[in-house]
Amino acid sequence: MKKNLVKLGVAALCLVMGLETFAQQKLTLSDNSNYIINDSVMIKTKYGITLSAVVVRKKGMPQKLPAALFYFIYSNTNRSLMEAKYAADHGYVGIVADARGKRLSPDAPGPYEHETKDVNAVIDWIIEQSWSDGRVGMYGGSYSGFAQWAAAKYLHPALKTIVPYVAAIPGLGLPMENNVFLTANYQWAFYITNNKYTDDAINNDNARWRNMRFNWWKSGAAYNKIDSIDGTPNPWLQKWLSHPDYDAYWQSMVPYGSDFKQINIPVLSITGYYDDGQVSALEYLREHYKYNPSAEHYLIIGPYDHFGSQIGGVAKLRSYEVDSIALINTRETTFEWFDYIFKGGKKPGLLKDRINFEVMGANNWKHAPSLAKMEDYRIRFYLDSTANGTMLSEQKPATEVFMNQQVDLADRIKFYNDYYPDPIIKKEIERSNGLFFITKPFDKAVSVSGALEGQLKAIINKKDMDIGLVLYEVTPSGEYFQLSYYLGRASYAYDMSRRSLLKPGKLETIPFYRSRVFSKQLQKGSRLLLVLNIDKNPFAQINYGTGKDVSKETIKDAGVPLKIKWSTQSFIELGFSVDVKDLF
């Protein structure tokens, strides 16, 4: 289990580090004689700060063109030139703008906090230029995806479309997920604020960060002391830790609530089943449709990780041989979309409905009007306890029974919640802790798609707990194919902006839905396995259940072990291609 969780500490950094150079492998520098290039543009805003940008135009093009804007924090002039030239080659003015404090900007960096103003200031500048036709489209992944949604919070009339890949939501997908702070986010603040570009040396010091995590874990110190254990103050982390709720601080950075109602431009979102930040990308989509049901918002999702989503996938992903039909070209799709919006071209052929998803194992794309309708049937499985063991039962138990779990939160030997999908296909899984619920074998091949969602019912002896769920397909040959996982804090289950502590000794209901969406064709004879556990390992805060700020709790707050009575009235819901009567 330690081996898999160490992979979490490395692989999850892909999300927070934003090392998107990989996503640029297919971009090449072209002959400069074909372009008009300005790589040192300075954009002075009306409110006193200055941003830098690269602007590239293709010679021989019409005098006025729409602009393709890529806004990012990982400043690299060569990369900016490649990105802008790619846009220019496709009939746009290519613009790559650096975030505040990066590259040539004389100001201090401020990750997340200023994009709602700064991106729109760049758009203001663009439409004042002689080569602008007054229209702007934005695209890009991770932080660049976040920046597009930040700009849309106060939608500029010149911004006509956005194409966010694996878009982050500060405070939801990172540096915490469902209100649980992750240690994998730790070094990102140094990486992007230590200098005007990126501090690759500090980012690549894997031994330092691994030692920091394990030293903190062993010490039992409060999470907000982790930078003391590292030996270097981390003021950005401390600032973020002071906002454990998804409060006004986080809400100010991206559209929130009714803000989505005003976002009436076409949107194309792209993410992957194994994208660490998928919960953020899909939160934008869900909220957009919630507040603006008629929004023209499309989703492409398939068997991609954080980087793979930005290029269109790789043939082999963490031991899984990806279906050939799943491999697309994200950049080509982006500029086909731009041509559709700006030039009256055809909509990308893959977009046959709002939700466009590849069914792993079927080598087939499917299309649906919403995430909830990715399959025709919604089937509920109860976490049942029978004489034959714990089962995922399609029948509601006639009598409520409670299943016991005990976790010593002061223990530093066992790790709990081995949830990270690397590799995706495992020969065996950790079984020394947690509860395991399995279905009967399926009588036929069947596809299952959508989010892992449902509700848990439990009685605990403390005021809070951090919950982990992992869903697998157990194949007839006995392999474990990981489909989805969920990580979240029980006290925020109803409202991520307001903590509501559990009452010890009382039966509590804990709904969940911000898990990883997936789609997979299950083999005949396969079964579904759900692992239910408490999150306790070196890769996230440890919630000791006192009700105090979790970042300030220490091992001294552990007290008696956490005792949980899980009710058999707990359930999960999944989308299937056939009705329940045809499954078994």
Side-chain angles (χ1 to χ4, degrees):
M1 183 174 183
K2 282 190 178 183
K3 181 178 179 182
N4 288 338
L5 282 169
V6 169
K7 287 181 178 179
L8 164 62
V10 175
L13 291 175
C14 297
L15 165 64
V16 296
M17 293 302 126
L19 303 177
E20 294 162 355
T21 302
F22 175 75
Q24 305 303 317
Q25 285 182 353
K26 296 184 179 179
L27 304 185
T28 58
L29 290 166
S30 302
D31 181 2
N32 289 353
S33 65
N34 293 321
Y35 304 92
I36 302 168
I37 298 174
N38 190 337
D39 63 3
S40 302
V41 173
M42 304 302 291
I43 300 172
K44 295 183 178 181
T45 70
K46 297 175 181 177
Y47 46 91
I49 65 103
T50 301
L51 305 171
S52 62
V54 165
V55 178
V56 176
R57 291 181 285 151
K58 189 79 174 283
K59 291 180 179 179
M61 297 297 289
Q63 185 177 358
K64 292 182 181 292
L65 291 171
L69 172 60
F70 185 96
Y71 182 103
F72 77 148
I73 201 167
Y74 308 104
S75 295
N76 181 302
T77 305
N78 285 337
R79 180 184 167 187
S80 295
L81 286 167
M82 288 191 294
E83 198 73 60
K85 286 178 179 180
Y86 188 91
D89 284 340
H90 285 75
Y92 298 85
V93 178
I95 302 167
V96 178
D98 303 290
R100 181 185 298 203
K102 304 301 293 182
R103 208 165 69 97
L104 307 179
S105 169
D107 301 285
Y112 306 137
E113 295 187 346
H114 307 292
E115 271 67 23
T116 56
K117 289 201 312 182
D118 289 357
V119 180
N120 282 317
V122 174
I123 296 174
D124 279 338
W125 178 86
I126 289 172
I127 62 175
E128 292 173 354
Q129 306 310 303
S130 61
W131 38 257
S132 170
D133 73 355
R135 298 180 297 164
V136 178
M138 292 186 69
Y139 71 103
S142 196
Y143 197 95
S144 301
F146 146 72
Q148 295 168 63
W149 283 109
K153 184 177 180 74
Y154 305 111
L155 187 64
H156 198 294
L159 183 58
K160 302 302 181 183
T161 188
I162 59 174
V163 187
Y165 327 141
V166 293
I169 295 181
L172 173 56
L174 56 93
M176 59 182 178
E177 177 166 330
N178 292 321
N179 301 92
V180 179
F181 278 91
L182 307 174
T183 61
N185 300 311
Y186 181 85
Q187 69 224 55
W188 184 80
F190 297 132
Y191 175 62
I192 51 90
T193 64
N194 276 4
N195 60 49
K196 294 293 184 180
Y197 293 88
T198 54
D199 192 337
D200 297 318
I202 203 167
N203 176 56
N204 295 331
D205 193 352
N206 294 328
R208 172 182 172 181
W209 308 122
R210 183 184 186 281
N211 289 338
M212 180 204 70
R213 292 180 181 89
F214 280 85
N215 289 339
W216 164 76
W217 157 261
K218 292 173 183 175
S219 75
Y223 189 78
N224 67 1
K225 299 299 183 183
I226 195 169
D227 53 354
S228 299
I229 291 171
D230 174 53
T232 304
N234 191 336
W236 281 103
L237 174 71
Q238 295 300 332
K239 186 173 188 178
W240 297 330
L241 290 177
S242 69
H243 297 276
D245 302 338
Y246 189 79
D247 59 14
Y249 174 72
W250 303 110
Q251 293 169 20
S252 68
M253 299 175 186
V254 294
Y256 180 73
S258 60
D259 293 340
F260 283 97
K261 186 176 181 180
Q262 310 304 321
I263 301 175
N264 55 9
I265 58 173
V267 179
L268 172 57
S269 291
I270 301 174
T271 188
Y273 302 144
Y274 299 98
D275 167 27
D276 299 337
Q278 189 211 96
V279 291
S280 295
L282 296 187
E283 184 77 3
Y284 286 120
L285 182 139
R286 288 187 179 103
E287 292 294 285
H288 197 189
Y289 277 125
K290 176 181 177 180
Y291 289 96
N292 188 351
S294 62
E296 185 181 357
H297 190 156
Y298 293 87
L299 174 69
I300 295 174
I301 186 169
Y304 320 127
D305 64 5
H306 195 65
F307 293 145
S309 299
Q310 298 176 65
I311 62 171
V314 293
K316 191 169 186 177
L317 177 64
R318 304 180 198 167
S319 78
Y320 169 54
E321 298 283 350
V322 173
D323 294 339
S324 60
I325 202 170
L327 302 178
I328 62 174
N329 188 312
T330 299
R331 285 300 190 282
E332 286 184 3
T333 301
T334 297
F335 282 88
E336 285 177 16
W337 173 265
F338 279 174
D339 288 350
Y340 163 66
I341 299 298
F342 291 110
K343 301 178 181 179
K346 292 183 179 179
K347 187 189 302 180
L350 192 54
L351 304 181
K352 293 181 170 57
D353 211 329
R354 287 176 166 180
I355 311 300
N356 305 275
F357 59 102
E358 201 271 334
V359 185
M360 294 185 290
N363 199 30
N364 182 46
W365 284 90
K366 292 177 69 173
H367 314 274
S370 68
L371 291 173
K373 295 181 179 178
M374 288 173 68
E375 298 288 5
D376 291 334
Y377 300 94
R378 298 288 300 173
I379 299 178
R380 179 174 293 186
F381 292 95
Y382 288 88
L383 280 56
D384 200 3
S385 178
T386 70
N388 296 321
T390 50
M391 303 287 295
L392 282 177
S393 173
E394 68 277 18
Q395 301 292 330
K396 184 176 182 178
T399 303
E400 185 174 25
V401 175
F402 290 92
M403 300 160 286
N404 295 317
Q405 183 180 15
Q406 181 168 303
V407 180
D408 182 358
L409 295 168
D411 169 69
R412 288 298 178 270
I413 303 300
K414 284 187 177 181
F415 295 5
Y416 284 67
N417 197 29
D418 183 12
Y419 67 87
Y420 197 74
D422 187 5
I424 292 169
I425 302 172
K426 300 179 176 75
K427 297 293 185 182
E428 58 184 22
I429 59 173
E430 169 64 31
R431 284 192 175 264
S432 68
N433 54 73
L435 280 69
F436 298 79
F437 302 88
I438 196 163
T439 67
K440 295 175 289 187
F442 298 117
D443 283 342
K444 61 181 72 174
V446 59
S447 62
V448 56
S449 308
L452 168 64
E453 56 185 59
Q455 66 178 31
L456 301 172
K457 289 180 176 290
I459 301 171
I460 70 172
N461 64 333
K462 295 180 183 285
K463 296 179 180 179
D464 204 1
M465 58 182 173
D466 291 349
I467 298 167
L469 291 166
V470 187
L471 184 69
Y472 296 96
E473 173 192 11
V474 184
T475 68
S477 64
E479 292 185 323
Y480 299 87
F481 190 110
Q482 186 161 336
L483 302 171
S484 181
Y485 68 88
Y486 168 83
L487 172 66
R489 183 156 294 161
S491 58
Y492 289 99
Y494 286 97
D495 185 348
M496 64 181 179
S497 68
R498 184 177 60 86
R499 193 178 188 193
S500 180
L501 296 174
L502 282 62
K503 295 181 179 179
K506 178 187 175 183
L507 181 63
E508 300 276 6
T509 299
I510 305 162
F512 62 92
Y513 71 90
R514 290 190 190 95
S515 65
R516 267 59 185 181
V517 165
F518 69 96
S519 180
K520 175 73 163 62
Q521 179 160 299
L522 309 182
Q523 302 176 43
K524 178 182 178 180
S526 284
R527 296 174 291 169
L528 286 176
L529 173 68
L530 181 77
V531 183
L532 169 62
N533 215 336
I534 297 303
D535 196 64
K536 191 199 79 168
N537 53 64
F539 303 102
Q541 294 173 308
I542 299 173
N543 186 346
Y544 292 98
T546 65
K548 297 189 297 186
D549 183 342
V550 175
S551 291
K552 298 178 181 179
E553 290 180 314
T554 75
I555 199 168
K556 295 178 181 179
D557 292 303
V560 300
L562 171 64
K563 296 180 180 179
I564 314 160
K565 296 180 178 180
W566 298 105
S567 168
T568 55
Q569 301 298 298
S570 304
F571 63 84
I572 64 170
E573 287 187 345
L574 296 166
F576 282 82
S577 58
V578 301
D579 200 356
V580 64
K581 65 180 184 297
D582 298 316
L583 281 178
F584 308 109

